[in-house]
Amino acid sequence: MIVSVGPASFVLPRRTLLVTLGLGAVLVAAMIAAVSLGTMTVPPGDVVRSLLTGGTDYDLVVRELRWPRVVLGAACGAAFGLGGALIQSVARNPLSSPDVIGVTQGAGLAATIALTSGMAYQLIAPAAMAGGLLAAVVVFAFGARTGFAANRFVLAGVAVAFALRAGIEVVMSSAETIDALRAQIWLIGSLNGRGYEEAGALGLVLLLALPLLLWAARALRTSALDDDTARALGARPAARRVAVGALGVVLAAAATAQVGAVDFVALVAPQVARRLSRAERPPLAASALAGAALVVAADLAARLLLAPTQLPVGVLTAGIGGPYLVYLLIRRRR
């Protein structure tokens, strides 16, 4: 099936289209459930009426307390899903995700330094994003020397991630107890106390990245070719890999900067989309929807499991992603 967006056109397999629509429906259902369920249960019909027209008895709960958090969860999940899909496509390795190759840890180190040094709250997100981007530069510098060979790229990322994690521990061990606690909460990743402000900042990043994502979808068509064949077709494979990978890093770093280190969403969501679509590489739109649905559903579970205590969403995503990472390692070994 051919889909046209302005002057650009894309070949979209029928199964991928159906999976994308299905994941969109799952996301909508998860968002309605996340607004409906909680200490006070709101009927789904009233949720929809409150969001569309207002004037219901549940407007405060729906529109002011729950919906902003759900929107942020969907936005950060989409950014993580897209970032993971782009990086995995470039590295041609399902283990290549921002939280495995050091991007999340770079953001975490920068945020930890900001939180424990008394930096203004408004500067924490920019600091975290800068840290994630700097970590990616180091990993990409190693990867570029080997033409982004899958195994070496991942190994370089894991090494950088461990080094940055050690840096986080050093900073936290020397910080005041209250500052270390704040940093620890940020490092787990949480939507608690966040809403439209963070969602707006992340939404702006996604909007600005949209033209680049459309370009990346076309550029990835040559990513499965060997370099000689790609050059023969007039492509510049190394430059394209760097550009596509950099876009993925920016999206993942932007999401991490707003909600903290919500681990494994960028690892799991693209592979869920790829396996459902039976595609050669993770489809971008389906990866974004899978990531959004995963974060919204995980945050709902985090609110309900030990209610009225609310767990950070990062606890739930780590619980899902950890076993999945083990599964991928065993599968690749076989």
Side-chain angles (χ1 to χ4, degrees), residues 80-91:
F80 279 128
L82 288 167
L86 292 170
I87 293 172
Q88 289 174 11
S89 297
V90 167

Side-chain angles (χ1 to χ4, degrees), residues 192-328:
N192 297 347
R194 296 180 171 95
Y196 284 139
E197 181 179 351
E198 293 80 6
L202 189 52
L204 179 60
V205 173
L206 289 169
L207 182 62
L208 293 175
L210 183 58
L212 297 176
L213 288 169
L214 295 175
W215 168 82
R218 295 172 63 89
L220 286 174
R221 292 180 184 177
T222 60
S223 65
L225 302 176
D226 61 85
D227 288 356
D228 292 336
T229 303
R231 292 192 192 97
L233 293 174
R236 300 173 58 189
R240 285 193 173 191
R241 289 188 196 127
V242 171
V244 172
L247 177 59
V249 166
V250 168
L251 292 172
T256 303
Q258 298 300 328
V259 300
V262 182
D263 288 332
F264 292 117
V265 175
L267 173 71
V268 174
Q271 290 305 306
V272 169
R274 185 181 73 82
R275 292 178 186 278
L276 290 175
S277 303
R278 297 178 185 173
E280 182 180 2
R281 58 180 178 272
L284 295 185
S287 297
L289 293 170
L294 178 59
V295 173
V296 172
D299 185 56
L300 173 61
R303 288 196 292 111
L304 297 181
L305 281 178
L306 297 178
T309 301
Q310 296 188 10
L311 295 174
V313 65
V315 173
L316 270 294
T317 58
I320 296 170
Y324 184 75
L325 178 59
V326 173
Y327 163 76
L328 282 181

Side-chain angles (χ1 to χ4, degrees), residues 51-296:
L51 291 174
L52 294 179
T53 62
T56 71
D57 295 336
Y58 303 103
D59 284 359
L60 176 62
V61 174
V62 171
R63 308 181 76 172
E64 302 297 330
L65 299 181
R66 294 180 183 172
W67 183 245
R69 177 172 176 154
V70 170
V71 171
L72 174 59
C76 77
F80 279 128
L82 288 167
L86 292 170
I87 293 172
Q88 289 174 11
S89 297
V90 167
R92 290 166 286 186
N93 190 323
L95 298 178
S96 300
S97 73
D99 31 33
V100 174
I101 65 171
V103 175
T104 300
Q105 289 78 8
L109 178 57
T112 301
I113 293 173
L115 286 164
T116 57
S117 62
M119 188 176 293
Y121 175 79
Q122 292 79 1
L123 298 178
I124 295 173
M129 186 165 182
L133 295 178
L134 287 175
V137 169
V138 175
V139 175
F140 272 61
F142 283 113
R145 299 180 63 181
T146 60
F148 294 98
N151 291 334
R152 293 188 179 183
F153 180 75
V154 173
L155 287 175
V158 170
V160 171
F162 272 110
L164 293 170
R165 183 65 193 177
I168 292 173
E169 297 297 335
V170 169
V171 174
M172 290 185 63
S173 64
S174 60
E176 296 291 336
T177 303
I178 186 63
D179 292 332
L181 181 60
R182 291 171 59 206
Q184 184 62 45
I185 293 173
W186 191 95
L187 289 170
I188 295 174
S190 176
L191 303 182
N192 297 347
R194 296 180 171 95
Y196 284 139
E197 181 179 351
E198 293 80 6
L202 189 52
L204 179 60
V205 173
L206 289 169
L207 182 62
L208 293 175
L210 183 58
L212 297 176
L213 288 169
L214 295 175
W215 168 82
R218 295 172 63 89
L220 286 174
R221 292 180 184 177
T222 60
S223 65
L225 302 176
D226 61 85
D227 288 356
D228 292 336
T229 303
R231 292 192 192 97
L233 293 174
R236 300 173 58 189
R240 285 193 173 191
R241 289 188 196 127
V242 171
V244 172
L247 177 59
V249 166
V250 168
L251 292 172
T256 303
Q258 298 300 328
V259 300
V262 182
D263 288 332
F264 292 117
V265 175
L267 173 71
V268 174
Q271 290 305 306
V272 169
R274 185 181 73 82
R275 292 178 186 278
L276 290 175
S277 303
R278 297 178 185 173
E280 182 180 2
R281 58 180 178 272
L284 295 185
S287 297
L289 293 170
L294 178 59
V295 173
V296 172

